[in-house]
Every structure is written in structure tokens, then in C-alpha cells.
Amino acid sequence: MSNIDPDKMVDQLTRPIRKTSAFYYVVVLALLMAVCWGLFAWTCQLTRGLQVTGLNNSVAWGVYITNFVFFIGISHAGTLISAILRVSGAEWRRPITRAAEAITVFALVLGASQILFDLGRPDRALNVILYGPLRSPLLWDVVCISVYLLSSIFYLLLPLIPDVAILRDQRLVLGWRKELYRILSFGWDGNPEQKRRLEKTIGIMAVLIIPIAVSVHTVVSWIFGMTIRPMWHSTILGPYFVVGAIFSGIAAIIIAMAVLRKVYHFEGYLKPIHFNYLGLLLLTMTALWFYFTLAEYLTIGYGALPEEWHVFEAKVAGEFALMFWIMVGSMTVAFFLLLFCRSKWPIGGTVAASLFIVVGMWIERYTIVVPTLVKLTGRGYPPGMYYPSWVEWSITGGSIAGFILLYVLFVKLFPIISIWEVEESEEAVVEKLANMKRYFPCVSSAPTES
Amino acid sequence: MRVVGTDRKLVLKPPKKRLLTKRGIELMSNTEIIFQTPGVGGALACVVIVALVVCYGFTLRWISRGREDQTGEPPR
């Protein structure tokens, strides 16, 4: 990395912003069409009511809430991973942090919008603020997600400032973009005092964002966990959701990185070693996910309380068994791919495992949300049934397309690999080697000092 | 009427005038009221969000002013 000339690096990393291929327009158009189809389906739902969905009195939460939990999980990709790597001083993070942080912001926006789709009457979302009592987990969720979204935008914006200043000073960038970069660079000229202040703020935010991110998915789990319903009312649900979120988040980063690498030829920046390291993290999280899943299902199955048994049976051997075992199968395939193929084919192996994980995690969210509501009998509830309609699938498709579209537009406006952080990687190497000298006292002179 | 005084002498005194009735004090001291009252949570949420926006805004301004503080020139 250090062999690349700084000017050449700026040129390479800003090329996606300066040059637009025909393929880019085709992708944007296709995504726009999918988003429009999703909006059309939502319009149908708004005009004709929730009767056009598969939702009913018994099963009021379906695909939309599954998407909500899924997107909020994906949102843990960026900010949390980036913050953990930053705090732990993992220097290999430098080219991947921005791609990850952008995922967080867009996944949060799309995740929060799922609640509006589920409400049927979006204007009633305001009722949480107007009439929400402090003891309501829904209100906790609104607060946590708002705080996380604001903090993630801020955390994305901070390391963007020096790069935006580079774009502001480029002669080729003109018009409204120039004005946008001028505003977002906040008068940056890279003097030591500004740099000191920026790095100090990023350092503080990296620490602060970790508990915020953990709180978000814990509170999302409490929406389920605070209700006294079978297989929801569980103390393990908070950590289980957080582990699942980090798990799916890392998988999302790997997919995004592989696409960016291929499309924009970032082979010199996103190297196999990055995929290998992220693959290792993913392997650890896969093992943790299996541990939590086993702990949850074994405890419930062994206890076999009548109320929980209905739901458990439906998941493992009943009407949701196919989905459940596809989920377990996906995770198993991902685990072995990461275990055996990661070091040989770091990119292909980790990307394939990530695809299995993303699909598996969506199914996992579905099998958490829906079976409990469908099988909630014996307390005066009518027997439930739920078959998602075309409206729900269309809105889901539109949401995924919207997420990708926002990401694609972001890549068009801002460098997706942090220029200044990669530029400083040479200094980081020197610093790291000097630190290593301190770890190993038998090394008499630091190799970098020569 | 309430009984006050020492072991040796007990005196009967009229009750002091209070702004709230005993029931009112009971209610106010009950923290559950705060948790149950509609809108209290929403108001607190708004306060947290606005405070955060202001805090982040000032931090950006502080970073921006790094140039001015060092060179005396205002940021571009």
C-alpha cells in the first residue's frame, strides 16, 4: 500500500466519483424501478388497508418486523465493527471502515421505515412520542434507534471531512457537488490542530458508539422479550440478538467489499488478507451463534413447558421446520466454508459463506417473529395463520433495492475507501513496529528505525 | 391533628398547611406515575435527541475552528 504514489491513490480512489460508466446508470435504473414497485405496493396498502397483506389480528407482525430486525442487525456491520477495530488498533481496518459505516446508516434508515410499513397508518408513529409512557419498550426502541442513527451519521461524517476537503479542492468537481463538498468539509485545511481535534473526536466516538450499538439490538430484542409469550420471553434474547446482528453485519460488509473490489478495481486496497481477517471474525461469530441457538432451543425443548412446546414443535418439526432447517443448514455450510476454504480462497470462500449467512439470518428473524404469533393459542387468541402477500414481498424487495440504491449513490458522491486513513498507513506501520519492540524486549532495535 | 414533643410533655398541634393533599403527595412520590404518564417518555426522548444534535453540531464547529485557533484565519 505504501508503494502507491499519493497522487495516484487519490486518482484511483476518486475515480468512481469522477467517472460514470453506462453500467452504473443501468444499475441505478434497475434499482429505481424496484423501489418504485415497492412504493406502488405501499400505496396499495395505504389506500386499501392492511387487508392486502397477510397480517391479521392474531399475527400482526410478519415480514415487515422480520425486515426491521434484519436491517437493524445489518446496521451493526459498520459502526460497531469499525469502532471495535479502531479501538483495538487493528490497522488493517483502514480501507474497510467507510464501506462498513455507510452500511450502518442506510440499513438503519431502511430498518426504521419497516415500522411505518407495518403500522398501516404511518401518521400513528407519532403517537409513540406524543403518548408513549416511559415504561414502553417501543419508546426505548425509538430513542435507541434515533440515538444510534444520529451517532452513526456523525461517526460516518467525521472521517469523511478530510476526504471531502480533497474533493472540494479538485478542479474537476463543479456545480452543486462543489458546494456540497464545501459545506461538508467544515473549513478543513488539514492543519495539525484540526487534525488533532478530529482524531480526538473520532477516538471518543469510537468508544461511545459501542455501547450505543449494543443497546440498540438489545432493546430491539426486548420488544419481544418484554412480552410474556412463548419463545420470546427469554433472558437470552438480548445477547442472542446482538450476536446475530454482529454476525449478519460482518457478512454484509464482506459482500459489499467484494462487490466494490470487483466493480471499481480496488484490488490494491481490499486485499485477500482483509477478507481472511473478516472471515476469521465471521467464523468466531458463527460458533457463537451456534452456541446461543443450542442454548436457547435445548433449554426450551428439554423443559417442554406446554405453551412453549407448541412453538418449539412448530419450528423444529412442524409447519416452520423447512425454514428452520434451511437456516441451520445455511449456517452449517457457512461454518465449514469459513473453516476450510477461508485460507485457500479468502475472497470466494468468505463471500459464499456471507451469502449463506445473510439468507440464514433473515430466515432466523422470520422464525423468531412469526411462529410465536401463529402458535399463540389457549389464551383466548384465535388460531393464527400467516402467508405473506405480494404487497409484503414487493415492499421487502423495494426496501432491499432502496438500501442498495442509497449505497450506490453514496459511492458516487464520496470516496468509499478513506483516502487520508490509507495515506497514513505508512506512519501506522512505523508506529506499530515501534510498539512491537515494546512487546518483545529481546528485540534491541526497531526494524523501522533503520 | 398530630402529636409532637418529648417523652416528658406531649403537645397537640394543628396540622401545617400543605400545597398538596396527603393523597397528592402519595401520588407524586409514586415513581410509577412518571413511567405511566403518556407523553413523559416522548418528551424525554425529544430532549435526548435534541441534546445530541446540539452536542454533535458544536463538536463539528470545534473541529472547524481548529484553523482559526492556530492561524487566526477563519475557516474557508
Side-chain angles (χ1 to χ4, degrees), chain A residues 337-378:
Chain A
L337 274 172
L338 289 167
L339 196 63
F340 295 118
C341 302
R342 195 198 70 256
S343 46
K344 264 189 181 176
W345 302 289
I347 299 174
T350 51
V351 170
S354 302
L355 287 169
F356 275 108
I357 287 167
V358 168
V359 174
M361 283 310 290
W362 190 91
I363 297 172
E364 192 230 35
R365 304 319 195 185
Y366 186 88
T367 54
I368 287 176
V369 176
V370 177
T372 294
L373 294 170
V374 170
K375 290 288 166 186
L376 195 69
T377 52

Side-chain angles (χ1 to χ4, degrees), chain A residues 63-184:
Chain A
V63 166
Y64 297 143
I65 299 298
T66 304
N67 293 342
F68 164 69
V69 181
F70 175 75
F71 273 121
I72 298 289
I74 294 285
S75 78
H76 278 56
T79 308
L80 190 61
I81 307 299
S82 154
I84 289 171
L85 296 180
R86 215 182 274 272
V87 168
S88 60
E91 295 301 338
W92 58 271
R93 72 166 199 278
R94 289 172 184 268
I96 65 171
T97 47
R98 184 155 310 142
E101 288 154 12
I103 288 178
T104 296
V105 174
F106 303 134
L108 268 177
V109 170
L110 267 300
S113 65
Q114 301 301 314
I115 299 295
L116 298 181
F117 303 142
D118 188 71
L119 276 176
R121 284 271 306 269
D123 54 302
R124 290 190 177 168
L126 264 182
N127 289 354
V128 180
I129 296 292
L130 294 176
Y131 310 111
L134 205 57
R135 63 176 182 174
S136 165
L138 291 177
L139 184 76
W140 307 345
D141 213 30
V142 169
V143 175
C144 282
I145 291 176
S146 308
V147 168
Y148 189 40
L149 180 60
L150 278 173
S151 304
S152 297
I153 292 172
F154 187 58
Y155 191 62
L156 172 69
L157 185 61
L158 284 174
L160 253 180
I161 294 173
D163 287 356
V164 169
I166 292 173
L167 291 170
R168 175 199 64 196
D169 299 336
Q170 281 199 347
R171 277 172 298 164
L172 291 169
V173 179
L174 299 166
W176 64 272
R177 276 192 179 190
K178 189 101 179 161
E179 187 59 20
L180 178 76
Y181 296 145
R182 191 191 63 76
I183 294 166
L184 290 181

